[in-house]
Amino acid sequence: GRFWAGTPEEYFELYGILAKAIKEVNPNAKVGGPTIAYDIGFLNGFLDYVKSHDLPLDFVSWHIYAIDPHKVVEKAKEVHSVMERHGFGDVPSVLDEWNHWVEKGPWDVFRDTKVASFQAAVLILLQDAPVDIATLYRGDAWNWGGLFYATGTPGKPFYVWLAYKQLLNTTRLSVSVHKDYLIAAAGLSPDGRILLLVSNFADSEVKYTVSVGGYGISQILAVDDHHDLEPLPDGGSPYVSASPYAVHLVILEKKGG
């Protein structure tokens, strides 16, 4: 009742009317739904109706807010399983609203390191999830979920997205991580460097090592309570220290050149 106040059947009928009308006007327009936020049973009913009435469906859309980043992937798999069961496994799955779940204010918690670490972890985990499009809620200075403070100053998540963006022009590499709360992705850049994005989604400091044959760490850029995607000092230790909920962009270069 929070979003759709009618019965599921009324929604299904409305979708059928609108979907056919849209396609009549523009067959190339994309139409889909049902943008579920809670009950997966609603999706079952919706897909049943779409199939039995031979309605157009160009995508299936859904939302999730979670405390654990792994829950986002679990929901993605659950949604896709339902889609496959109804014969829509090849239709794009669109996660058109996601973020960390925050029960109550002050809402500037959305700008802190924990939410930044959560968003980095979700971005990494979604690489292997059955999701075609995923859009964060949201990228502006809105109090609930925005990347910026009301003053326009960037919050910590902003710098996480800058770090993640650097992976977009790389060729993905496999990464083995031995702790559930340490979540990582890596890519080989055109200039031969390896970029490793690491999220320590834990409320305690973690020490880790990076082992890549023929490569060594040249720089570590951190997003944490004291850094905004800025270099960590080289302490000379073989271990990298990640503070609680820190995100690191580790840059590796070939040894001896």
Side-chain angles (χ1 to χ4, degrees):
R2 186 174 177 184
F3 297 109
W4 174 256
T7 66
E9 291 72 23
E10 287 172 332
Y11 177 89
F12 305 156
E13 183 181 358
L14 175 63
Y15 175 84
I17 294 169
L18 289 174
K20 287 187 287 187
I22 289 169
K23 290 294 187 178
E24 286 175 5
V25 173
N26 183 0
N28 295 318
K30 302 297 185 184
V31 58
T35 324
I36 57 167
Y38 300 108
D39 184 12
I40 200 75
F42 193 96
L43 180 59
N44 271 297
F46 173 74
L47 295 180
D48 268 339
Y49 188 92
V50 168
K51 190 169 186 177
S52 63
H53 289 75
D54 195 26
L55 298 174
L57 182 71
D58 296 311
F59 60 86
V60 171
S61 53
W62 53 284
H63 295 174
I64 185 172
Y65 293 88
I67 296 173
D68 179 352
H70 292 91
K71 295 294 183 182
V72 178
V73 175
E74 289 177 17
K75 185 64 174 288
K77 292 178 178 178
E78 185 181 16
V79 167
H80 196 256
S81 177
V82 173
M83 292 168 61
E84 286 186 317
R85 195 157 61 244
H86 291 274
F88 294 103
D90 294 332
V91 172
S93 174
V94 178
L95 171 51
D96 58 348
E97 194 172 315
W98 69 270
N99 206 331
H100 193 270
W101 174 249
V102 177
E103 184 69 36
K104 58 183 179 179
W107 304 122
D108 276 346
V109 67
F110 280 104
R111 268 61 74 176
D112 72 11
T113 54
K114 183 176 182 179
V115 172
S117 181
F118 173 87
Q119 291 181 12
V122 170
L123 287 169
I124 293 169
L125 292 171
L126 283 177
Q127 301 308 308
D128 295 310
V131 174
D132 297 278
I133 296 173
T135 57
L136 179 77
Y137 187 89
R138 47 196 277 173
D140 56 9
W142 182 252
N143 59 357
W144 207 95
L147 295 179
F148 299 86
Y149 291 95
T151 59
T153 303
K156 297 295 181 180
F158 170 82
Y159 297 101
V160 160
W161 285 80
L162 284 185
Y164 176 76
K165 182 181 179 182
Q166 294 193 39
L167 293 179
L168 298 184
N169 292 324
T170 66
T171 301
R172 191 181 179 194
L173 302 173
S174 62
V175 180
S176 296
V177 184
H178 304 294
K179 298 291 183 182
D180 289 342
Y181 48 79
L182 210 59
I183 300 165
L188 179 65
S189 66
D191 61 7
R193 297 181 304 160
I194 291 176
L195 304 183
L196 173 67
L197 186 65
V198 180
S199 176
N200 172 32
F201 192 70
D203 60 1
S204 58
E205 182 183 45
V206 173
K207 294 184 183 296
Y208 65 91
T209 60
V210 179
S211 177
V212 182
Y215 280 79
I217 296 175
S218 65
Q219 191 177 48
I220 301 174
L221 303 176
V223 180
D224 57 28
D225 287 339
H226 306 290
H227 300 87
D228 294 331
L229 199 58
E230 296 165 319
L232 289 178
D234 183 3
S237 169
Y239 295 97
V240 179
S241 180
S243 59
Y245 301 114
V247 176
H248 290 171
L249 181 63
V250 183
I251 301 172
L252 301 102
E253 297 184 0
K254 287 184 178 179
K255 294 177 180 178

